[in-house]
Amino acid sequence: MHTITRINELDAIVIEHQDFTARILLQGAQLTEFTTTQHPENWLFVSPANTYETGKAIRGGIPICWPVFGAFDKNPEPVKSSFPKTLEQHGYARHAIWTLESVKPEKDHISIALSLDAAQLKQSPKLAVQVLFTLSEKGFDIALSTTNNDTAPITFSQALHTYFATSDIHQTSITGFSDCDYVDALTPHWETKNQHGDITFTEETDRIYKTGSNCAIHTPNKDFELRTSNSNSTVVWNPWIEKSKHLSQFNDDDYLNMLCVETANALDDSITLLPKQTHTLKLQTRIIKYRQKQ
Ligand code: BG6
């Protein structure tokens, strides 16, 4: 039911079920491909520019940003005082090699669990982290669990940084955020603004919405539905024309075929765990409408 394959320097778990397929890189526990019989194109965007080298973050799929989301300095004080300030943007989990704990085939789904072992947890030795993927013909579910094994509280931020595929960003929109406040990360002082109507893309977009990502993404040929739990922040990102030219592992025109909707715990929504407490961030993704290409 599953095999391990190598893509240049990286190992990937390949799932081939009669109703769906998936590919998860051990580096970053990163889901890079998910298809179903009914929706056979990759649901996720992955840049053709990726070189699949050890230690280089893969641009696409679902990078796990952990135990900090975004730039360390932009995090609230309790997060900053929980970790060394050398922690890189989006944390180190996306570069680390995860351990495959189990692959469990059930009647209509497969569950895959991965964790970071002690040797990989050097920058946050008192935390334990596990990710559980539940894959079925209906879609994919992800649960990211963090446990505090310290004797003192720890505050962390995180995101499931999903790159969704679209055939045309100009004809793509997101519903579900009307009237929500968001922090515009492209303004010098991270101004708070209010969303009027649907989210559309006409320029570089980098926003942290102050609500969970229970929303729908409308692309020219399919609509995705996202359901989340234990998240009260959602990042919406597209680098647009200029920024694309400077991004690693990304082609200049890749921005046309992707949008990130990131299920997060960021800013005020960072999570404080008391000793022995566990927090589980959950995302469920389905395709709710499909239109044949003309
Ligand atoms: C998003 C951030 O989550 O990730 C953006 O909001 C950032 O500011 C983007 O540019 C990509 O980050 P990275 O580190 O993968 O280039």
Side-chain angles (χ1 to χ4, degrees):
M1 197 63 87
H2 84 276
T3 51
I4 302 284
T5 191
R6 185 159 265 255
I7 312 167
N8 192 19
E9 294 177 5
L10 305 184
D11 287 328
I13 309 158
V14 176
I15 303 288
E16 275 167 356
H17 184 276
Q18 62 177 15
D19 299 326
F20 54 90
T21 69
R23 198 174 275 244
I24 301 168
L25 296 171
L26 290 183
Q27 177 175 289
Q30 192 161 339
L31 181 67
T32 55
E33 189 186 295
F34 181 77
T35 72
T36 61
T37 318
Q38 230 188 332
H39 305 297
E41 286 173 356
N42 193 358
W43 293 24
L44 302 167
F45 167 85
V46 180
S47 174
N50 282 301
T51 52
Y52 298 90
E53 289 168 82
T54 313
K56 278 198 182 162
I58 298 299
R59 181 83 55 197
I62 311 186
I64 295 176
C65 304
W66 185 94
V68 286
F69 167 77
F72 184 82
D73 284 347
K74 292 287 190 185
N75 274 267
E77 277 312 319
V79 175
K80 290 201 261 188
S81 54
S82 295
F83 301 103
K85 46 171 177 283
T86 48
L87 213 51
E88 64 246 72
Q89 158 134 328
H90 291 333
Y92 64 88
R94 61 177 174 162
H95 303 290
I97 305 297
W98 291 59
T99 302
L100 177 59
E101 299 283 347
S102 61
V103 178
K104 290 189 187 149
E106 308 287 347
K107 196 163 156 263
D108 58 354
H109 66 270
I110 296 183
S111 304
I112 301 142
L114 298 103
S115 63
L116 275 182
D117 63 27
Q120 298 283 345
L121 285 166
K122 283 187 191 123
Q123 286 170 286
S124 53
K126 302 293 185 187
L127 289 178
V129 63
Q130 194 200 49
V131 62
L132 179 70
F133 295 93
T134 306
L135 313 174
S136 73
E137 65 170 339
K138 290 190 233 145
F140 61 83
D141 292 21
I142 306 180
L144 180 65
S145 296
T146 304
T147 302
N148 180 3
N149 291 323
D150 204 346
T151 49
I154 296 179
T155 305
F156 69 104
S157 56
Q158 60 182 353
L160 297 167
H161 191 306
T162 312
Y163 286 76
F164 286 95
T166 175
S167 56
D168 184 1
I169 191 67
H170 297 106
Q171 296 179 61
T172 298
S173 62
I174 308 174
T175 49
F177 292 101
S178 191
D179 286 331
C180 287
D181 281 350
Y182 64 89
V183 169
D184 187 343
L186 297 175
T187 55
H189 301 290
W190 284 34
E191 226 173 278
T192 297
K193 298 181 179 172
N194 188 260
Q195 179 66 37
H196 304 295
D198 300 348
I199 301 173
T200 53
F201 297 87
T202 54
E203 58 187 348
E204 185 181 350
T205 304
D206 193 353
R207 302 173 181 172
I208 305 172
Y209 284 84
K210 297 181 175 187
T211 183
S213 27
N214 293 313
C215 64
I217 301 171
H218 310 273
T219 76
N221 68 341
K222 52 174 95 74
D223 291 356
F224 299 95
E225 181 192 66
L226 275 56
R227 289 280 166 261
T228 62
S229 345
N230 299 329
S231 162
N232 278 311
S233 43
T234 303
V235 181
V236 176
W237 180 64
N238 182 290
W240 217 247
I241 301 166
E242 279 313 307
K243 185 157 182 174
S244 292
K245 295 179 188 164
H246 308 288
L247 281 179
S248 60
Q249 312 282 309
F250 202 68
N251 290 320
D252 290 1
D253 58 358
D254 278 346
Y255 77 94
L256 291 166
N257 297 118
M258 53 72 64
L259 70 155
C260 286
V261 180
E262 307 168 32
T263 304
N265 294 113
L267 302 180
D268 297 349
D269 181 37
S270 298
I271 301 298
T272 299
L273 286 178
L274 299 176
K276 304 293 166 225
Q277 267 188 339
T278 297
H279 174 271
T280 302
L281 173 66
K282 289 186 182 171
L283 164 68
Q284 179 188 80
T285 304
R286 302 284 182 260
I287 288 178
I288 47 170
K289 257 190 210 158
Y290 185 67
R291 294 170 282 276
Q292 292 292 346
K293 278 185 187 156
Q294 302 293 315

